[in-house]
Amino acid sequence: MATKQKKRADGLYQKSVKIGRCPDGSPKRKVVYGKTQGELDQKVTELKQKVATQTYIDVDMTFTELSVIWMKQFPTRSAKWHKRKQSKIDNHLLPTLGERNIRDLRMMDLQNIVNKMAEDGYATSTMKKVKQTADNMMDFACDNEWLYRNYFSKVKVPSLDAPETRYLEDDEILLVTKNWRGHRFGIGGLIMLYCGLRLGELLALTWEDIDYEEKVIHITKARECFENRPSIKKPKTKAGVRDIPIPDILLTALKELGGKHGLICMSANGRLMSDTAYRRAWEGYFNHLNKAAGGRCASKYTPRVQVIEHITSKMLRHTYCTLLYDAGVDVKSAQYFMGHEDIETTLSIYTHLSKFRKKKSVVSLNKHIVEKMKKIAA
């Protein structure tokens, strides 16, 4: 039977347990507290078992201290990677976990953070990155024997439906196709629409990447931008390196421009586009399309008249995937052309398009039947 302990003035029970020896040989002890005698006895028993099985680790380290040590383990990673990781730590983890001792952290501490992010409308991918960062940090602590168990590994990330990126309607496809002249980004819009390039791939594309004889575009690099300073890098995955067939309608436009070398889509001063330069170029290109459709830019005396819906580069890439689907291109080929590392990504788009097309067909059929009945009745 456990020895009965006296109550403290604050009503808690306490007992000092030997957990080892100090460097000078003197006993090292830890005081255990309990609200009741039974709770104290249970905690004392658990502590002694951990000491006996060498699973008790007496490390005083806050989560903030762990984060600093962990970040220093990646000196060769890019500054952009460090900035993104630090942002996840500073904005989502430290406000709640920062001052907590890592040995006191449990699954629900991180689960509550992830659940709150879901309530606030964060994307599933963002929540996964936050969870992964915290999980990796605790694994690192276990590897260094500062913890004996990573409770964060079992945290569940809610799967939220991401907002669907719309694809261009037929009249918008025609608008982009017919009006590529007249703006320096027009050829870029045409390339994204008919070859499905990612924005970073387009901005790194050079005339040397165009193979007129084989009628393909060689994708071997991409642009990245850190703190508005652009640079060229390799694609993130092996799937990003690919040859994309050039449709005749795009090939004609490329031959008309007749570039020999250098960037195809460049900034106003002829350099690799920064994020700021791209936003300005795209805004000008969208205004060009809007004007071609009958709209008008704002001036000192007249308000802006916008007659087309907003179009993004991602919509052009998404539309390319719908063109592949409508053309009967098989999923495996579509995966290669799109540069998807995981075929599930391509399958999800194809599955969605299949359901959408069927639904649209039913609507068309119903409309046709109604109109036919009206004619018969007349």
Side-chain angles (χ1 to χ4, degrees):
M1 178 181 289
T3 304
K4 187 174 182 180
Q5 307 296 316
K6 281 188 176 181
K7 266 191 178 182
R8 292 162 26 117
D10 59 5
L12 293 176
Y13 292 87
Q14 75 173 53
K15 184 176 182 179
S16 177
V17 179
K18 180 181 174 182
I19 59 174
R21 290 192 177 277
C22 298
D24 61 2
S26 60
K28 187 175 185 179
R29 312 188 73 86
K30 177 179 176 61
V31 178
V32 182
Y33 302 93
K35 294 180 180 180
T36 65
Q37 182 68 51
E39 181 182 342
L40 177 65
D41 291 342
Q42 182 179 353
K43 287 185 175 181
V44 169
T45 300
E46 290 176 353
L47 178 58
K48 287 182 176 180
Q49 287 177 343
K50 289 180 180 179
V51 172
T53 57
Q54 296 184 338
T55 56
Y56 174 73
I57 301 173
D58 185 33
V59 175
D60 287 319
M61 179 184 293
T62 65
F63 192 80
T64 297
E65 292 169 335
L66 174 62
S67 71
V68 173
I69 298 172
W70 182 74
M71 287 292 289
K72 289 181 179 179
Q73 306 308 305
F74 307 97
T76 60
R77 292 295 186 99
S78 68
K80 189 173 185 179
W81 182 90
H82 277 270
K83 184 175 181 180
R84 286 177 174 174
K85 286 294 181 182
Q86 196 63 56
S87 174
K88 300 291 185 297
I89 293 170
D90 291 343
N91 295 330
H92 301 289
L93 299 174
L94 295 190
T96 303
L97 309 179
E99 299 306 313
R100 299 278 301 280
N101 193 300
I102 59 174
R103 68 169 177 247
D104 296 330
L105 295 176
R106 296 296 181 266
M107 186 189 78
M108 285 308 300
D109 293 313
L110 180 59
Q111 188 69 66
N112 289 336
I113 292 174
V114 172
N115 292 346
K116 181 63 166 57
M117 291 178 67
E119 293 175 5
D120 293 341
Y122 282 92
T124 299
S125 60
T126 302
M127 291 186 286
K128 284 182 177 179
K129 290 174 183 176
V130 171
K131 189 261 183 181
Q132 182 186 46
T133 300
D135 191 13
N136 290 346
M137 288 170 61
M138 297 296 268
D139 273 343
F140 173 73
C142 291
D143 291 341
N144 283 275
E145 298 184 352
W146 300 332
L147 292 176
Y148 73 92
R149 182 178 177 184
N150 175 9
Y151 289 97
F152 287 176
S153 62
K154 294 186 178 181
V155 168
K156 304 296 183 184
V157 176
S159 181
L160 305 180
D161 292 332
E164 292 181 1
T165 300
R166 78 174 184 90
Y167 60 85
L168 270 59
E169 299 293 342
D170 290 346
D171 59 333
E172 293 173 314
I173 293 175
L174 185 62
L175 182 68
V176 172
T177 304
K178 292 182 65 176
N179 296 282
W180 65 270
R181 302 177 187 85
H183 192 276
R184 61 190 172 92
F185 210 84
I187 190 64
L190 210 60
I191 292 172
M192 283 191 285
L193 175 60
Y194 288 112
C195 285
L197 271 65
R198 299 178 176 90
L199 177 61
E201 295 168 345
L202 173 73
L203 298 184
L205 196 67
T206 63
W207 287 105
E208 291 88 341
D209 297 320
I210 308 298
D211 189 332
Y212 292 102
E213 291 186 6
E214 296 296 327
K215 296 185 179 181
V216 297
I217 292 179
H218 302 297
I219 305 299
T220 60
K221 54 191 177 298
R223 183 224 66 158
E224 70 172 357
C225 198
F226 177 63
E227 296 183 344
N228 211 38
R229 295 195 296 270
S231 60
I232 298 294
K233 64 170 186 175
K234 293 181 179 180
K236 286 184 178 180
T237 66
K238 291 182 179 179
V241 179
R242 61 201 191 278
D243 291 341
I244 305 176
I246 306 174
D248 290 342
I249 193 169
L250 173 58
L251 189 66
T252 301
L254 291 170
K255 287 182 176 179
E256 181 178 324
L257 283 180
K260 298 297 182 182
H261 58 82
L263 294 167
I264 294 178
C265 294
M266 61 185 76
S267 64
N269 58 12
R271 297 177 181 175
L272 186 63
M273 280 193 184
S274 64
D275 287 342
T276 300
Y278 162 70
R279 284 193 293 269
R280 288 173 179 168
W282 187 266
E283 182 180 359
Y285 173 55
F286 180 73
N287 288 336
H288 167 72
L289 293 177
N290 185 57
K291 185 177 179 180
R296 182 178 62 200
C297 294
S299 68
K300 184 177 180 180
Y301 303 103
T302 57
R304 175 183 175 82
V305 177
Q306 184 168 318
V307 297
I308 61 174
E309 289 189 49
H310 188 62
I311 296 174
T312 67
S313 59
K314 192 173 182 180
M315 291 177 189
L316 296 177
R317 174 170 161 81
H318 189 68
T319 301
Y320 173 70
C321 196
T322 68
L323 294 176
L324 294 176
Y325 175 86
D326 290 339
V329 175
D330 64 276
V331 176
K332 195 65 180 177
S333 297
Q335 177 195 4
Y336 174 78
F337 295 149
M338 294 292 291
H340 289 152
E341 183 179 24
D342 187 355
I343 196 171
E344 292 298 326
T345 304
T346 318
L347 278 171
S348 66
I349 298 174
Y350 264 42
T351 300
H352 168 74
L353 288 172
S354 177
K355 292 179 180 178
F356 178 79
R357 292 288 192 270
K358 287 177 182 177
K359 185 176 180 180
K360 195 172 183 180
S361 297
V362 173
V363 172
S364 298
L365 176 62
N366 286 332
K367 185 178 179 181
H368 172 72
I369 292 173
V370 170
E371 290 177 352
K372 189 173 183 64
M373 290 300 101
K374 287 181 179 179
K375 288 182 181 179
I376 294 174

